[in-house]
Amino acid sequence: MCAVAIEIEGRSGEALSRADLAWLHADEPTNHFIVTSLALFDKPLVAQRFKTMLSQRIGLHPRLRQVVTRPLNPLAAPRWTPAADFDLDAHIHRAALPGAGDTAALAAYIGDLVGRPLDVDRPLWECHIVDGPGSGGALITRFHHSLGDGQAMVRMLLSLTDDVATGWKRPLHGTRPAREHRPAAPPLPSLPQIPDVPLLARAGIDAVGTLARLTLLDPDPPTALRGGLTLVKRVAWSRPLSLAAVKDTARAAGTTVNDVIVSVIAGSLGSYLRKAGQDTRGLRIRAMVPVNMRAANDSAMAGNRFSLVYLELPLGVMDARERLMRVKIEMDRIKASKEPVVGWLLVQGLGLLPAPLEHIASAFYADKASLVLTNVIGPARRIYLAGSPIEQMTFWEPESGGLGLGISIYSYAGQVTIGVVSDRNLVAEPHEITEGVEKEFAELASA
């Protein structure tokens, strides 16, 4: 569990939201609730340039210099407060890979990091500049999920990058971004604006019915993707898929880009299980999927505003086109349902529970799924970090409630990368899944 310090007299700060608190408490020895990301460069990242740029721009992100403190009042919420003696160097590490420093060595290094907790006495993030892989090395970042969700972290990343190689020399100026978006209370409605009471009642009944249905779902079927967890993690990522090719495939089939990517992931998982000796005929498993709940005008670079829904994956469907259509139907069903709203209320409710009860509730709902599946849209153009061009990007989302497999979808500069993180006890070679994704997409595109 992620600990918090006792508040020092006289210090104050912004209170954690219920969602932030839920993810702060989600840490377990076998699953740390940390988002790990990877950037691969065309030319080496100069560490001193990176530190200079970060020192100039860190003020845009107060939480990068804050720790979580527990107020003396046991009924009060924990707060973000300035860290005493903050030292940027304590959060930036250097590493060189052994031997040839290839992709396998980098994946092993990242897997070791994923299995480690962050130091709770410091702000909950760290960076690792790695020499060796590819032509320009890599940067690995680790941010605790309580700092923010995927959308917030992408915005944070963009504030640290530039469109040109010399951009890092120009410190960003201007006012600090607003604190986490909290919509103002709406004005009292005039008589014509009063909503239809039967309509509201019907919506409430629908939401209660959705919650009951989700609560009564059976646990996901036993497969090699579920089981006991260890402290050892493994990661892999795919070769970039052409976003243009994915769009062409989606357009030809009358589906969306997400439908196509989710379909080929389902195909790869089904193939993986069949190779492991499991009969997948009729097999359907669920993925727990985060859904962005931010308003269109919410530009916050911190905080969590996402829901969780269950997405059914038709692993037993062998035909690529039929599988795609089934995924589309399921995705459309979720979009038209109350599940995203109900999932957001559940996340908020978890933040109200003491940590031990939260773990029990999280495990109860996680038992109805086999993996976490996350999709984040990154920059559409190539960007630079401290003067070095980023060639490829991906990330790995933390699992929750005892799940041991996570799959992430990240689009960047016209390409899509699939990342897989797993517990060694379940999927010892996650590259088999990413390679399967590449194969399944080629088959679907040709179909």
Side-chain angles (χ1 to χ4, degrees), residues 209-223:
T210 299
L211 176 59
R213 186 181 68 81
L214 295 178
T215 302
L216 295 174
L217 285 175
D218 291 332
D220 236 17
T223 68

Side-chain angles (χ1 to χ4, degrees), residues 337-350:
S337 75
K338 297 281 193 245
E339 290 181 22
V341 175
V342 171
W344 170 239
L345 295 176
L346 280 174
V347 170
Q348 294 281 85
L350 290 176

Side-chain angles (χ1 to χ4, degrees), residues 51-136:
K51 290 181 182 180
T52 299
M53 178 277 300
L54 196 53
S55 65
Q56 292 170 343
R57 302 184 186 182
I58 197 170
L60 294 171
H61 310 287
R63 291 190 184 178
L64 297 186
R65 303 184 64 164
Q66 295 174 336
V67 294
V68 178
T69 56
R70 177 77 66 182
L72 297 176
N73 178 1
L75 299 180
R79 309 187 76 84
W80 296 105
T81 58
D85 303 321
F86 173 77
D87 185 352
L88 186 61
D89 287 337
H91 295 265
I92 301 176
H93 309 279
R94 295 290 304 275
L97 299 179
D102 56 10
T103 298
L106 179 60
Y109 180 78
I110 297 172
D112 287 343
L113 291 178
V114 170
R116 302 178 194 172
L118 291 169
D119 186 347
V120 297
D121 293 324
R122 295 174 176 168
L124 297 173
W125 65 277
E126 64 183 18
C127 297
H128 297 256
I129 300 172
V130 183
D131 301 327
S135 57

Side-chain angles (χ1 to χ4, degrees), residues 386-404:
S388 295
I390 299 177
E391 177 183 4
Q392 186 180 4
M393 301 178 70
T394 191
F395 75 100
W396 298 274
E397 185 82 358
E399 292 70 63
S400 60
L403 295 177

